[in-house]
Amino acid sequence: IYAGMGERYALYRATGFYCVTVEHEGQSYKLYGLGDVLTYPAFRKKGYGSALIRKATDIIRDDHNADIGLLWTQEHNFSFYENCGWERMPDVTITHGEKDNPDTEEETPFMLFFSDRAKANRANFSRSPLYIGPDRW
């Protein structure tokens, strides 16, 4: 999602959607990730970013096959994502890269659980790492 401002189309926020199917503890999930989130300094603290993240979240929620939403971020962004409805999941470990020797994501994950199945299996994500595939978004 890219958002502009007025007729000049000054880019103030960019968000990338990523959709993958992941396997975790014997279950397959349709996972949407948010990444590439940025706001140019001149447009920060004006509500544009939170409006865009909320819209992105609504788009994911509108996919009735969506199971999980995932993003990760640094501590200075925690309250921003919490205010947008995302839940900090400090006990969840995200891995990516080579499946037999994956890298561990060092930033803190935030998640949303959309499907009943994902909600029912929520505790499983804290018990074992979630491998999201070869690429880090």
Side-chain angles (χ1 to χ4, degrees), residues 62-86:
D62 287 345
D63 179 348
H64 298 291
N65 295 314
D67 293 303
I68 301 166
L70 172 68
L71 63 85
W72 51 82
T73 191
Q74 297 173 351
E75 186 173 352
H76 67 272
N77 293 320
F78 287 1
S79 63
F80 171 78
Y81 287 107
E82 289 168 339
N83 289 334
C84 290
W86 287 75

CSV table of all heavy atoms in Angstrom, one decimal, residues 62-86:
chain,number,residue,atom,x,y,z
A,62,ASP,N,-10.3,-8.9,5.8
A,62,ASP,CA,-11.3,-9.1,4.8
A,62,ASP,C,-11.1,-10.4,4.0
A,62,ASP,O,-12.0,-10.9,3.4
A,62,ASP,CB,-11.4,-8.0,3.9
A,62,ASP,CG,-12.1,-6.7,4.5
A,62,ASP,OD1,-12.7,-6.9,5.5
A,62,ASP,OD2,-11.9,-5.6,3.9
A,63,ASP,N,-9.8,-11.0,4.1
A,63,ASP,CA,-9.6,-12.3,3.5
A,63,ASP,C,-10.0,-13.3,4.5
A,63,ASP,O,-9.4,-13.6,5.5
A,63,ASP,CB,-8.1,-12.4,3.2
A,63,ASP,CG,-7.8,-13.8,2.5
A,63,ASP,OD1,-8.6,-14.7,2.6
A,63,ASP,OD2,-6.6,-14.0,2.1
A,64,HIS,N,-11.2,-13.9,4.2
A,64,HIS,CA,-11.7,-14.9,5.1
A,64,HIS,C,-10.9,-16.2,5.3
A,64,HIS,O,-11.2,-17.0,6.1
A,64,HIS,CB,-13.2,-15.2,4.7
A,64,HIS,CG,-14.0,-14.0,4.8
A,64,HIS,ND1,-14.4,-13.4,6.0
A,64,HIS,CD2,-14.6,-13.3,3.8
A,64,HIS,CE1,-15.1,-12.3,5.7
A,64,HIS,NE2,-15.3,-12.2,4.4
A,65,ASN,N,-9.9,-16.3,4.5
A,65,ASN,CA,-8.9,-17.5,4.6
A,65,ASN,C,-7.7,-17.1,5.4
A,65,ASN,O,-6.8,-17.9,5.6
A,65,ASN,CB,-8.6,-18.0,3.2
A,65,ASN,CG,-9.7,-18.6,2.5
A,65,ASN,OD1,-10.5,-19.3,3.1
A,65,ASN,ND2,-9.9,-18.2,1.2
A,66,ALA,N,-7.6,-15.8,5.8
A,66,ALA,CA,-6.4,-15.4,6.6
A,66,ALA,C,-6.4,-16.1,7.9
A,66,ALA,O,-7.5,-16.1,8.6
A,66,ALA,CB,-6.4,-13.9,6.7
A,67,ASP,N,-5.3,-16.6,8.4
A,67,ASP,CA,-5.2,-17.1,9.7
A,67,ASP,C,-4.5,-16.2,10.7
A,67,ASP,O,-4.9,-16.0,11.8
A,67,ASP,CB,-4.4,-18.5,9.6
A,67,ASP,CG,-5.2,-19.5,8.9
A,67,ASP,OD1,-6.3,-19.8,9.3
A,67,ASP,OD2,-4.7,-20.1,7.9
A,68,ILE,N,-3.3,-15.7,10.2
A,68,ILE,CA,-2.4,-14.9,11.1
A,68,ILE,C,-1.9,-13.7,10.4
A,68,ILE,O,-1.6,-13.7,9.2
A,68,ILE,CB,-1.2,-15.8,11.5
A,68,ILE,CG1,-1.7,-17.1,12.2
A,68,ILE,CG2,-0.2,-15.1,12.4
A,68,ILE,CD1,-0.6,-18.2,12.3
A,69,GLY,N,-1.7,-12.6,11.2
A,69,GLY,CA,-0.9,-11.5,10.7
A,69,GLY,C,0.4,-11.4,11.5
A,69,GLY,O,0.4,-11.7,12.7
A,70,LEU,N,1.4,-11.0,10.9
A,70,LEU,CA,2.7,-11.0,11.5
A,70,LEU,C,3.5,-9.8,11.1
A,70,LEU,O,3.5,-9.4,9.9
A,70,LEU,CB,3.5,-12.2,11.2
A,70,LEU,CG,5.0,-12.3,11.7
A,70,LEU,CD1,5.1,-12.4,13.2
A,70,LEU,CD2,5.7,-13.5,11.0
A,71,LEU,N,4.2,-9.1,12.0
A,71,LEU,CA,5.2,-8.1,11.7
A,71,LEU,C,6.2,-8.2,12.8
A,71,LEU,O,5.9,-8.8,13.9
A,71,LEU,CB,4.6,-6.7,11.5
A,71,LEU,CG,3.9,-6.1,12.7
A,71,LEU,CD1,4.8,-5.3,13.6
A,71,LEU,CD2,2.8,-5.1,12.2
A,72,TRP,N,7.3,-7.6,12.6
A,72,TRP,CA,8.3,-7.4,13.7
A,72,TRP,C,8.9,-6.0,13.7
A,72,TRP,O,8.9,-5.4,12.6
A,72,TRP,CB,9.4,-8.5,13.7
A,72,TRP,CG,10.1,-8.7,12.4
A,72,TRP,CD1,11.1,-7.9,11.9
A,72,TRP,CD2,9.8,-9.7,11.4
A,72,TRP,NE1,11.5,-8.4,10.7
A,72,TRP,CE2,10.7,-9.5,10.4
A,72,TRP,CE3,8.9,-10.7,11.3
A,72,TRP,CZ2,10.7,-10.3,9.2
A,72,TRP,CZ3,8.9,-11.5,10.2
A,72,TRP,CH2,9.8,-11.3,9.2
A,73,THR,N,9.3,-5.5,14.8
A,73,THR,CA,9.8,-4.2,14.9
A,73,THR,C,10.7,-4.0,16.1
A,73,THR,O,10.8,-4.9,17.0
A,73,THR,CB,8.5,-3.2,15.0
A,73,THR,OG1,9.0,-1.9,14.8
A,73,THR,CG2,7.8,-3.3,16.3
A,74,GLN,N,11.2,-2.8,16.2
A,74,GLN,CA,12.1,-2.4,17.3
A,74,GLN,C,11.3,-1.8,18.4
A,74,GLN,O,10.1,-1.3,18.2
A,74,GLN,CB,13.2,-1.5,16.8
A,74,GLN,CG,14.1,-2.1,15.8
A,74,GLN,CD,15.0,-1.1,15.2
A,74,GLN,OE1,15.0,0.1,15.4
A,74,GLN,NE2,16.0,-1.6,14.4
A,75,GLU,N,11.8,-1.7,19.6
A,75,GLU,CA,11.1,-1.2,20.8
A,75,GLU,C,10.5,0.2,20.7
A,75,GLU,O,9.4,0.4,21.2
A,75,GLU,CB,12.1,-1.3,22.0
A,75,GLU,CG,11.4,-1.0,23.3
A,75,GLU,CD,12.3,-1.2,24.5
A,75,GLU,OE1,13.4,-1.7,24.4
A,75,GLU,OE2,11.9,-0.8,25.6
A,76,HIS,N,11.2,1.0,20.0
A,76,HIS,CA,10.6,2.4,19.9
A,76,HIS,C,9.3,2.5,19.1
A,76,HIS,O,8.6,3.5,19.1
A,76,HIS,CB,11.7,3.4,19.3
A,76,HIS,CG,12.1,3.1,17.9
A,76,HIS,ND1,13.1,2.3,17.5
A,76,HIS,CD2,11.5,3.6,16.7
A,76,HIS,CE1,13.2,2.2,16.2
A,76,HIS,NE2,12.3,3.0,15.7
A,77,ASN,N,9.0,1.4,18.4
A,77,ASN,CA,7.7,1.3,17.6
A,77,ASN,C,6.6,0.5,18.3
A,77,ASN,O,5.5,0.4,17.8
A,77,ASN,CB,7.9,0.7,16.3
A,77,ASN,CG,8.8,1.6,15.4
A,77,ASN,OD1,8.7,2.8,15.3
A,77,ASN,ND2,9.7,0.9,14.6
A,78,PHE,N,6.9,0.0,19.5
A,78,PHE,CA,5.9,-0.9,20.2
A,78,PHE,C,4.6,-0.2,20.4
A,78,PHE,O,3.5,-0.8,20.0
A,78,PHE,CB,6.4,-1.4,21.5
A,78,PHE,CG,7.5,-2.4,21.4
A,78,PHE,CD1,8.0,-2.9,20.2
A,78,PHE,CD2,8.1,-3.0,22.6
A,78,PHE,CE1,9.0,-3.8,20.1
A,78,PHE,CE2,9.1,-3.9,22.5
A,78,PHE,CZ,9.6,-4.4,21.3
A,79,SER,N,4.6,1.0,20.9
A,79,SER,CA,3.3,1.6,21.3
A,79,SER,C,2.5,1.9,20.0
A,79,SER,O,1.3,1.9,20.0
A,79,SER,CB,3.5,2.8,22.1
A,79,SER,OG,4.2,3.8,21.5
A,80,PHE,N,3.2,2.3,18.9
A,80,PHE,CA,2.5,2.6,17.6
A,80,PHE,C,1.7,1.4,17.2
A,80,PHE,O,0.5,1.5,16.9
A,80,PHE,CB,3.6,3.0,16.6
A,80,PHE,CG,3.0,3.1,15.2
A,80,PHE,CD1,2.3,4.2,14.8
A,80,PHE,CD2,3.2,2.0,14.3
A,80,PHE,CE1,1.7,4.3,13.5
A,80,PHE,CE2,2.6,2.1,13.0
A,80,PHE,CZ,1.9,3.3,12.6
A,81,TYR,N,2.3,0.2,17.1
A,81,TYR,CA,1.6,-1.0,16.6
A,81,TYR,C,0.6,-1.5,17.6
A,81,TYR,O,-0.5,-1.9,17.2
A,81,TYR,CB,2.6,-2.1,16.3
A,81,TYR,CG,3.3,-1.8,15.0
A,81,TYR,CD1,4.7,-1.4,15.0
A,81,TYR,CD2,2.7,-1.8,13.8
A,81,TYR,CE1,5.3,-1.1,13.8
A,81,TYR,CE2,3.3,-1.5,12.6
A,81,TYR,CZ,4.7,-1.1,12.6
A,81,TYR,OH,5.3,-0.8,11.5
A,82,GLU,N,0.8,-1.3,18.9
A,82,GLU,CA,-0.2,-1.7,19.9
A,82,GLU,C,-1.4,-0.8,19.7
A,82,GLU,O,-2.6,-1.3,19.8
A,82,GLU,CB,0.4,-1.6,21.3
A,82,GLU,CG,1.4,-2.7,21.6
A,82,GLU,CD,2.2,-2.5,22.9
A,82,GLU,OE1,2.3,-1.4,23.4
A,82,GLU,OE2,2.7,-3.5,23.4
A,83,ASN,N,-1.2,0.5,19.5
A,83,ASN,CA,-2.3,1.4,19.3
A,83,ASN,C,-3.1,1.1,18.0
A,83,ASN,O,-4.2,1.5,17.8
A,83,ASN,CB,-1.8,2.9,19.3
A,83,ASN,CG,-1.4,3.4,20.6
A,83,ASN,OD1,-1.9,2.9,21.6
A,83,ASN,ND2,-0.5,4.3,20.7
A,84,CYS,N,-2.4,0.4,17.1
A,84,CYS,CA,-3.1,0.0,15.8
A,84,CYS,C,-3.8,-1.4,15.9
A,84,CYS,O,-4.3,-1.9,15.0
A,84,CYS,CB,-2.1,0.0,14.7
A,84,CYS,SG,-1.5,1.6,14.2
A,85,GLY,N,-3.7,-1.9,17.2
A,85,GLY,CA,-4.4,-3.2,17.4
A,85,GLY,C,-3.6,-4.4,17.3
A,85,GLY,O,-4.1,-5.5,17.5
A,86,TRP,N,-2.3,-4.3,17.1
A,86,TRP,CA,-1.4,-5.5,17.0
A,86,TRP,C,-1.0,-5.8,18.4
A,86,TRP,O,-0.8,-5.0,19.2
A,86,TRP,CB,-0.3,-5.2,16.0
A,86,TRP,CG,-0.7,-5.2,14.6
A,86,TRP,CD1,-1.4,-4.2,14.0
A,86,TRP,CD2,-0.4,-6.2,13.6
A,86,TRP,NE1,-1.6,-4.5,12.7
A,86,TRP,CE2,-1.0,-5.8,12.4
A,86,TRP,CE3,0.2,-7.4,13.7
A,86,TRP,CZ2,-1.0,-6.5,11.3
A,86,TRP,CZ3,0.2,-8.2,12.5
A,86,TRP,CH2,-0.3,-7.7,11.3
